[in-house]
Amino acid sequence: MRLEKCWFCSSTIYPGHGIQFVRNDAKIFRFCRSKCHKNFKMKRNPRKVKWTKAYRKLHGKDLAQDSTFELERRRNRPERYDRNVVENTIKAIKRIEEVRVKRESKFWESRMKGKKNQERKEAAVELEQSIHLVKAPLAMQADPSLTLPKVPEQIKVKVAKKQAAQAMQE
Amino acid sequence: MVLYNFKKITVVPSGKDFIDIILSRTQRQTPTVVHKGYAITRIRQFYMRKVKFTQSNFHEKLSTILEDFPRLDDIHPFYGDLMNVLYDKDHYKLALGQLHTARNLVEKISKDYVRLLKYGDSLYRCKQLKKAALGRMCTIMKRVSPSLAYLEQVRQHLSRLPSIDPNARTLLVCGYPNVGKSSFINKITRADVDVQPYAFTTKSLFVGHTDYKYLRWQVIDTPGILDHPLEDRNTIEMLSIMALVHLRAAVLFVMDLSGACGYTIQQQAALFQSIKPLFANKPLIIACNKTDLQPLESLPEEDRRLLDELAKEAAQSSSLMLVDGAQEAKECLLTMSTLTDEGVVAVKNSACERLLQHRVEVKMKSKKIKDVLNRMHVAFPRVRDHKERPPSIPEAVLAKMKQTEQPLTRKQTEKDLENANGGAGVYSASLVKHYLLADDDWKNDIVPEIMDGHNIADFIDPDILLRLDELEREEEEREAAAEGEDEEMDEDELGPEEMEALTAIRKKKKLLLEEHRRKKRAADNNPVVPRKFDKDQQFTAGRMGRHLASLGLDPSRALERARSRSASRRGRKRDRSAAGEDGDAMDIDQPNKRFRSTSRSKSRAPSETRPGEGYKDSAQKVKAMKIGKKAVRKRNKQARKGEADRTIVNLKPKHLFSGKRSSGKTDRR
């Protein structure tokens, strides 16, 4: 048994899952789910579909090159079984995995580095430019701060009784 | 080798038929029309042709007959004598001779008459000459008609003769009538000869075929022979004699020991003696038949002696070199019973064997044998010296041979294991035990394949620890490098109040956007609803006030103004009307004065021009209105033909009804 990678989205396919297609030139295409299979049948290029691993690696969204990846690769030369080697390997796998996860998070962090600043800058600009939507310019003259105007709890409108009486008289 | 097959001789027609055939052929195959007025040469030619044609037909027909019948001198003497006996040689020759003469005579007649025809001076005379010629030819044929009849008889009999090959290996069965010759041939061949309990059942020669030593043998059954001088013999007996004389065959002299045939053993012995000269130089076997009635052993003494003598003579006559008289004699005398099949095959085999031997002996004596022997050579290697040359076997092989003699302790195989552990279906062979691993304890390890979503096989590497160390070092370096860099924040964060404002702004924007999109979707298809039907209270003063207040404005003045403009503020409609104003002071003197409600705007005539309409005066406007009304008026056509009606403009267009047209072009061209 082996865990295979989906041809389209590069996710891991556990035994008993997915579907595989063998082309008449004997190339095998494995798919983790019908979504990937359908996309393949639609002749979509996984490098151009945003949710695939291929796209993310190609566009620098994910860690693409790392020494931890070098350690995991398919070996086509059969090795004779050695208990010690397997034991060491299993121990090593755990450590390698830790390192990999760490590096990936680090990568993400570095990728997101300027994001917050940028957002703040944009927010300040937006606030300044669009304040008129929530605060009338007249109110701004009275209170130039970029905050919401203070609204009295009850708006009471005085109605001139005199006028009303006049109207009645007419 | 000449095969004697007389079945292919053509039919000989009788004299009358012969003439009819020839004359009708002349009539059919030569011209028939001739006139007096033709040139005489043409007439002569016409009749000459008839005469010559008839003659050639006669010649052709007679020639085929003469060629088809065998000439007695040319065929095998056996057949020659056979035909002499059966058909009388003289008669046969005479008949053929007559035909030959007739052929010559016909030729001569035709020659004569052709010559005469050359001098024929009229059609009549030519015709007479032709008639005379054909008549004479027919007369000749009529004269030979008895010969033709005889030849036809001969032909029919010849075609039914058995096809005996005189040179083949042959067994000839002879003896007194009714001794069992035909029964014998029926037993050993597939021939079906009639067998009856009376003398002379077989009246002619019969041939059957049998196999011995993968060779084909013909067995000839002959009619019985009686013991009297040659001159007294009848035709049937003569057939047997002819066969005995001319065929180089093994002769089976069949005797009836029981005497059931009506002849005693003495009589049969006498016959043997009388025809003995015919057996010279032929293998001869005396077959004593009907042993089921009279066994050989219980034969009277003198009969027995007679038989022995016969056997001795038979042995003498048959064998050219006397090897052992007594032995030979015993072999010549055989017993059989065609009723019980006892000894039949033995007789056949012995006869065949003797004939084969005889034929070889004859061949060896002939002159030609030297040519054959010269070509044959059988090699015998000569002994070079007296040295021993035993087979040489290497030491190692000998040792191994010795070793294999001892029982081996056999290697235990999987098969043995299977039998020891419950047999087939129960025992499952372990493949693990043949693994070649550094430690035997590892053989039964269960190797994990998958861990944490990874294939362990992908990581297996003998120097995995080294690699891991490398990775650790790399990681340390990286972390050390990462400590230095801090995250710096350039921009100040907005305060909570500002954030509140921003959220409000964003919310507002969102609403605006939604509204805009809704309108865009509706695409100028919004219902225009009068404000008085404003169900949702969208346009109320209160709402306006709240909105303005939320923007930070004081809404009081705006609200005041709005309410002041409101109609309801000015009292009831009745109070507001003009009539109400001065109801009691109605002026009748001013009938033209128009009463109008204060709410109603001043009405105008349509023709009245207003500035900005673009008309010079009201007359022009009226005219324009008239024209406009006319333009939009729907016309009533009163069921007249119009351009929208379906029409057939031309019922018979000229181009479709003139000129040539090919298939399928009646309605378009």
Side-chain angles (χ1 to χ4, degrees):
Chain A
M1 282 296 152
R2 255 190 83 81
L3 300 180
E4 303 289 354
K5 293 284 180 213
C6 175
W7 183 84
F8 199 80
C9 71
S10 312
S11 67
T12 310
I13 308 169
Y14 277 79
H17 290 256
I19 195 167
Q20 76 177 20
F21 165 64
V22 183
R23 204 162 60 184
N24 71 352
D25 64 354
K27 182 166 169 35
I28 298 175
F29 299 85
R30 294 187 177 84
F31 304 105
C32 59
R33 50 194 152 151
S34 60
K35 179 186 179 182
C36 294
H37 190 200
K38 281 171 194 160
N39 272 287
F40 171 78
K41 286 191 285 193
M42 286 190 279
K43 302 195 171 182
R44 279 191 185 156
N45 187 354
R47 291 171 151 236
K48 288 180 182 172
V49 178
K50 291 202 171 172
W51 49 269
T52 65
K53 192 83 176 165
Y55 177 91
R56 292 189 66 78
K57 276 192 175 168
L58 184 71
H59 291 82
K61 311 284 182 195
D62 274 342
L63 194 59
Q65 254 193 333
D66 196 66
S67 50
T68 51
F69 297 153
E70 310 281 302
L71 290 170
E72 180 185 10
R73 70 189 142 79
R74 190 164 184 153
R75 281 143 171 89
N76 288 321
R77 190 139 45 98
E79 273 310 316
R80 188 163 283 174
Y81 171 71
D82 189 321
R83 188 188 277 178
N84 300 328
V85 169
V86 171
E87 230 169 54
N88 288 336
T89 307
I90 287 170
K91 276 177 201 155
I93 287 174
K94 279 177 184 154
R95 177 67 193 139
I96 290 166
E97 194 64 2
E98 269 171 33
V99 171
R100 187 183 63 82
V101 169
K102 208 178 193 179
R103 283 183 183 181
E104 270 177 3
S105 66
K106 196 93 191 163
F107 177 81
W108 187 83
E109 270 166 28
S110 68
R111 188 160 75 83
M112 293 294 157
K113 207 167 163 189
K115 180 107 194 294
K116 223 161 207 175
N117 256 344
Q118 179 79 11
E119 273 173 0
R120 280 175 190 167
K121 217 183 261 174
E122 277 167 11
V125 170
E126 191 181 9
L127 184 64
E128 200 176 340
Q129 284 179 350
S130 311
I131 191 70
H132 67 274
L133 287 176
V134 290
K135 198 170 182 181
L138 217 65
M140 280 294 279
Q141 279 176 4
D143 176 18
S145 69
L146 294 171
T147 52
L148 286 178
K150 283 166 185 78
V151 181
E153 279 175 26
Q154 189 80 36
I155 304 165
K156 283 187 179 169
V157 180
K158 285 180 196 163
V159 177
K161 276 189 180 172
K162 218 163 80 181
Q163 270 191 336
Q166 270 182 343
M168 290 287 271
Q169 275 177 355
E170 276 174 343
Chain B
M1 200 176 85
V2 190
L3 261 175
Y4 294 96
N5 194 355
F6 303 121
K7 289 187 171 69
K8 287 195 177 148
I9 302 172
T10 46
V11 179
V12 182
S14 69
K16 201 164 171 287
D17 286 347
F18 206 109
I19 291 162
D20 285 349
I21 289 164
I22 299 292
L23 290 185
S24 81
R25 195 180 278 178
T26 309
Q27 179 71 13
R28 277 190 290 110
Q29 298 187 351
T30 52
T32 50
V33 180
V34 71
H35 290 296
K36 275 192 287 194
Y38 285 173
I40 188 69
T41 48
R42 193 175 169 188
I43 294 168
R44 282 177 196 152
Q45 209 164 19
F46 176 84
Y47 287 111
M48 273 197 269
R49 189 171 176 185
K50 291 229 172 206
V51 173
K52 277 183 185 166
F53 188 80
T54 314
Q55 180 267 330
S56 72
N57 269 338
F58 268 122
H59 184 90
E60 191 188 321
K61 210 91 172 97
L62 289 170
S63 300
T64 47
I65 292 171
L66 290 170
E67 275 164 27
D68 278 353
F69 278 91
R71 291 182 62 194
L72 290 181
D73 302 337
D74 292 352
I75 56 176
H76 193 272
F78 165 66
Y79 275 109
D81 280 350
L82 197 66
M83 283 171 78
N84 184 18
V85 165
L86 288 169
Y87 319 122
D88 192 1
K89 189 172 163 187
D90 295 342
H91 196 166
Y92 181 77
K93 278 193 167 176
L94 208 65
L96 286 179
Q98 277 188 345
L99 290 192
H100 194 256
T101 329
R103 192 177 68 180
N104 287 344
L105 281 175
V106 165
E107 207 165 323
K108 210 170 151 198
I109 287 166
S110 106
K111 230 180 226 169
D112 286 350
Y113 277 86
V114 166
R115 202 174 292 140
L116 284 177
L117 271 167
K118 274 183 190 167
Y119 301 101
D121 51 359
S122 66
L123 185 138
Y124 175 73
R125 201 156 288 172
C126 286
K127 191 174 180 181
Q128 292 306 315
L129 282 171
K130 176 219 92 177
K131 208 174 165 185
L134 296 197
R136 285 188 63 185
M137 288 180 196
C138 290
T139 314
I140 288 167
M141 282 321 292
K142 229 181 256 173
R143 261 188 232 138
V144 297
S145 64
S147 299
L148 288 173
Y150 166 76
L151 285 174
E152 173 62 11
Q153 291 283 327
V154 169
R155 186 192 69 83
Q156 285 177 4
H157 198 271
L158 264 180
S159 67
R160 284 174 204 147
L161 272 185
S163 57
I164 295 167
D165 183 0
N167 296 317
R169 292 169 287 270
T170 313
L171 301 183
L172 199 62
V173 189
C174 66
Y176 254 104
N178 213 12
V179 291
K181 301 182 292 297
S182 297
S183 307
F184 176 72
I185 200 174
N186 280 348
K187 285 285 177 227
I188 63 166
T189 70
R190 291 182 61 199
D192 187 17
V193 185
D194 195 19
V195 175
Q196 296 293 340
Y198 50 79
F200 291 110
T201 309
T202 307
K203 288 181 203 130
S204 63
L205 298 176
F206 282 93
V207 177
H209 289 94
T210 186
D211 274 9
Y212 178 70
K213 283 197 172 169
Y214 308 109
L215 296 169
R216 213 167 149 76
W217 299 74
Q218 59 182 4
V219 185
I220 300 177
D221 184 21
T222 61
I225 312 167
L226 294 173
D227 183 21
H228 50 182
L230 193 64
E231 294 75 43
D232 297 347
R233 293 189 191 282
N234 59 15
T235 313
I236 297 172
E237 283 176 287
M238 283 307 282
L239 290 177
S240 308
I241 302 297
M242 284 306 119
L244 279 171
V245 168
H246 290 291
L247 296 178
R248 291 189 305 165
V251 180
L252 276 165
F253 188 76
V254 183
M255 290 183 76
D256 183 359
L257 295 185
S258 66
C261 61
Y263 306 96
T264 60
I265 292 174
Q266 282 88 351
Q267 279 173 318
Q268 291 180 38
L271 172 67
F272 181 86
Q273 297 296 350
S274 67
I275 61 170
K276 204 171 73 180
L278 300 177
F279 302 146
N281 292 336
K282 280 176 198 156
L284 176 63
I285 281 181
I286 296 167
C288 301
N289 199 10
K290 306 196 188 175
T291 47
D292 48 323
L293 292 176
Q294 171 72 58
L296 189 64
E297 290 75 36
S298 61
L299 217 59
E301 190 61 27
E302 48 181 301
D303 285 353
R304 182 66 210 235
R305 215 166 346 103
L306 215 53
L307 273 182
D308 285 343
E309 245 172 66
L310 283 185
K312 211 178 276 174
E313 278 182 34
Q316 267 179 6
S317 74
S318 63
S319 183
L320 297 171
M321 35 183 159
L322 273 173
V323 185
D324 182 1
Q327 182 65 27
E328 196 84 345
K330 212 168 231 175
E331 278 176 20
C332 280
L333 185 68
L334 290 168
T335 57
M336 65 174 179
S337 167
T338 47
L339 190 72
T340 60
D341 271 3
E342 187 190 327
V344 170
V345 177
V347 167
K348 180 193 111 179
N349 288 351
S350 136
C352 293
E353 191 56 47
R354 285 174 75 82
L355 180 63
L356 269 183
Q357 216 177 342
H358 179 76
R359 282 169 79 103
V360 169
E361 276 170 22
V362 168
K363 257 181 202 159
M364 291 297 285
K365 276 189 177 171
S366 68
K367 281 178 185 170
K368 281 182 186 171
I369 193 68
K370 264 193 178 169
D371 299 345
V372 181
L373 285 179
N374 282 345
R375 270 179 273 160
M376 288 195 338
H377 172 66
V378 182
F380 288 102
R382 257 190 319 186
V383 180
R384 189 168 45 172
D385 47 27
H386 297 292
K387 220 167 145 186
E388 279 281 316
R389 289 190 177 80
S392 133
I393 304 168
E395 282 286 316
V397 177
L398 275 174
K400 203 167 190 182
M401 279 163 80
K402 236 174 229 173
Q403 207 179 33
T404 47
E405 279 165 23
Q406 293 162 356
L408 264 178
T409 48
R410 218 157 46 81
K411 196 181 161 191
Q412 205 176 31
T413 60
E414 277 295 317
K415 180 94 179 167
D416 299 329
L417 280 174
E418 185 190 87
N419 291 333
N421 293 299
V426 178
Y427 173 74
S428 71
S430 164
L431 300 171
V432 168
K433 64 184 175 187
H434 299 300
Y435 284 177
L436 301 170
L437 299 180
D439 192 336
D440 281 348
D441 293 348
W442 299 348
K443 277 185 180 175
N444 289 308
D445 281 5
I446 297 165
V447 186
E449 288 179 82
I450 298 168
M451 194 178 83
D452 300 341
H454 294 280
N455 294 305
I456 290 173
D458 288 356
F459 288 92
I460 293 272
D461 190 352
D463 347 311
I464 187 78
L465 289 180
L466 269 176
R467 293 282 147 74
L468 191 62
D469 276 348
E470 245 172 70
L471 188 71
E472 295 278 16
R473 241 177 292 130
E474 200 182 316
E475 188 62 15
E476 271 170 30
E477 275 171 32
R478 184 188 287 263
E479 263 171 25
E483 259 175 43
E485 57 189 60
D486 270 347
E487 200 179 315
E488 66 255 37
M489 278 289 185
D490 287 335
E491 296 296 317
D492 298 327
E493 206 169 345
L494 295 176
E497 283 187 338
E498 281 171 331
M499 268 321 275
E500 207 182 334
L502 187 61
T503 351
I505 287 168
R506 281 176 181 165
K507 195 177 169 188
K508 181 82 189 173
K509 273 185 173 173
K510 212 169 155 188
L511 284 172
L512 284 173
L513 198 65
E514 261 172 31
E515 178 62 12
H516 168 70
R517 280 186 183 154
R518 189 193 62 73
K519 274 186 178 164
K520 207 178 175 189
R521 265 202 305 278
D524 288 340
N525 202 14
N526 293 313
V528 181
V529 184
R531 285 208 171 167
K532 64 177 178 182
F533 299 128
D534 175 21
K535 258 197 334 227
D536 300 334
Q537 298 280 307
Q538 217 175 349
F539 306 106
T540 58
R543 191 171 273 228
M544 183 182 74
R546 281 196 296 280
H547 178 63
L548 287 176
S550 77
L551 286 174
L553 293 172
D554 181 14
S556 49
R557 276 168 57 84
L559 280 173
E560 212 170 288
R561 156 104 182 130
R563 283 186 179 139
S564 73
R565 299 280 294 164
S566 162
S568 57
R569 283 276 155 184
R570 283 184 274 146
R572 294 187 300 173
K573 200 172 185 177
R574 190 182 297 161
D575 296 336
R576 278 184 273 144
S577 69
E581 256 177 46
D582 39 8
D584 47 325
M586 193 183 282
D587 200 346
I588 308 159
D589 290 342
Q590 293 175 310
N592 286 343
K593 192 185 177 187
R594 288 163 68 199
F595 295 100
R596 69 179 189 92
S597 150
T598 47
S599 64
R600 190 176 153 196
S601 64
K602 192 184 169 196
S603 46
R604 287 182 289 267
S607 57
E608 198 175 318
T609 56
R610 271 186 293 171
E613 264 183 336
Y615 297 112
K616 191 168 71 184
D617 49 17
S618 92
Q620 194 186 28
K621 189 176 180 184
V622 168
K623 198 177 179 184
M625 277 161 68
K626 261 189 185 169
I627 292 168
K629 270 184 185 170
K630 230 177 200 173
V632 298
R633 194 171 68 190
K634 269 187 188 167
R635 280 197 292 171
N636 182 7
K637 296 211 170 166
Q638 292 169 325
R640 286 210 200 104
K641 191 162 114 176
E643 58 184 341
D645 292 331
R646 179 180 147 73
T647 49
I648 297 167
V649 184
N650 193 349
L651 283 173
K652 290 187 83 177
K654 178 116 182 147
H655 75 281
L656 284 181
F657 289 88
S658 58
K660 226 172 157 184
R661 60 185 191 185
S662 52
S663 62
K665 282 202 171 177
T666 51
D667 51 1
R668 70 194 155 77
R669 221 174 292 170

